[in-house]
């Protein structure tokens, strides 16, 4: 299956120094690393409520975006961007943290619901109610109890877990060129096969 090439990659997180390195910012961390590795300068764009950059990633012209809004209002920046740049949802990749996957695991996925993720929950109506966009789910693990989730995602992982999350981000970046080439299934297979965890996802 050949899929449309990705034109916009969005990394979800919360703005501000207090949230740097927290589990909920795994998506923003991915895009920040991608920008650095590809010499793409992310600049604040007030009209888009985000930091945005454009450059070449694996030979493809791609825009990178990190919302300047809090996670629960991610849809504002994403909705503005897809409209302004005229990017159809199927050419959008949202990178976000995933409670239901262990640290060290990451997965590409196309379509589906929000799965309880507040960033995705806000994005779906902001782009017309469609769920037909790509996601990169970065595993951060679950605290075990629902009432502990908020503190969990807004805190930093242990050094061991941080290393696992960083490794899964590296593996996802290595598989990303396949997705940019329009080879969605190959990208998913490559990333799944690189998973060194035993997560049942």
């Amino acid at each position: 299956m050949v899929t449309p090439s990705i034109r916009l990659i969005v990394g979800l997180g919360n703005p501000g120094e207090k949230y740097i390195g927290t589990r909920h910012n795994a998506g923003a961390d991915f895009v920040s690393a991608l920008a650095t590795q590809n010499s793409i300068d992310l600049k604040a764009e007030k009209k888009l409520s985000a930091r945005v950059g454009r450059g070449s990633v694996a030979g493809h012209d791609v825009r990178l975006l990190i919302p300047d809004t809090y996670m629960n209002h991610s849809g504002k920046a994403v909705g503005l961007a897809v409209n302004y740049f005229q990017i159809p949802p199927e050419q959008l990749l949202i990178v976000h943290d995933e409670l239901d996957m262990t640290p060290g695991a990451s997965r590409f996925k196309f379509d589906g619901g929000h799965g309880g993720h507040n960033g995705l929950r806000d994005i779906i109506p902001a782009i017309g109610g469609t769920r037909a966009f790509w996601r990169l789910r970065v595993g951060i693990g679950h605290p075990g109890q629902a009432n502990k989730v908020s503190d969990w995602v807004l805190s930093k992982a242990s050094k061991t877990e941080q290393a696992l999350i960083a490794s899964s981000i590296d593996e996802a970046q290595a598989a990303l060129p396949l997705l940019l080439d329009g080879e969605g299934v190959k990208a998913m297979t490559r990333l799944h096969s690189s998973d060194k965890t035993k997560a049942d996802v």
Side-chain angles (χ1 to χ4, degrees), residues 44-95:
E45 293 284 355
K46 288 186 178 181
K47 63 185 176 184
L48 299 178
S49 297
R51 286 175 287 150
V52 186
R54 182 179 182 178
S56 179
V57 178
H60 293 270
D61 181 23
V62 176
R63 283 186 170 87
L64 306 181
L65 183 148
I66 298 176
D68 281 335
T69 56
Y70 286 100
M71 179 68 81
N72 292 6
H73 303 289
S74 299
K76 179 180 180 181
V78 177
L80 288 169
V82 297
N83 288 326
Y84 184 76
F85 297 121
Q86 296 185 325
I87 294 173
E90 61 268 22
Q91 293 184 303
L92 170 66
L93 171 63
I94 303 291
V95 189

Side-chain angles (χ1 to χ4, degrees), residues 91-158:
Q91 293 184 303
L92 170 66
L93 171 63
I94 303 291
V95 189
H96 65 90
D97 58 304
E98 178 56 69
L99 283 164
D100 294 332
M101 290 168 50
T102 59
S106 57
R107 295 283 187 274
F108 286 119
K109 178 182 179 181
F110 184 76
D111 208 341
H114 54 69
H117 192 283
N118 287 332
L120 295 181
R121 191 196 305 271
D122 198 58
I123 288 169
I124 291 170
I127 59 174
T130 180
R131 303 181 303 176
F133 57 88
W134 282 93
R135 309 102 189 276
L136 171 59
R137 305 155 65 207
V138 180
I140 62 168
H142 196 287
Q145 297 178 18
N147 62 357
K148 294 183 178 181
V149 166
S150 181
D151 288 340
W152 178 261
V153 299
L154 296 179
S155 62
K156 294 183 179 181
S158 67

Side-chain angles (χ1 to χ4, degrees), residues 158-187:
S158 67
K159 288 185 177 180
T160 299
E161 290 181 342
Q162 285 178 8
L164 288 169
I165 293 169
S167 176
S168 73
I169 285 175
D170 287 344
E171 294 290 354
Q173 289 180 343
L176 181 61
L178 287 169
L179 187 60
L180 297 179
D181 286 340
E183 298 288 353
V185 172
K186 289 183 179 179

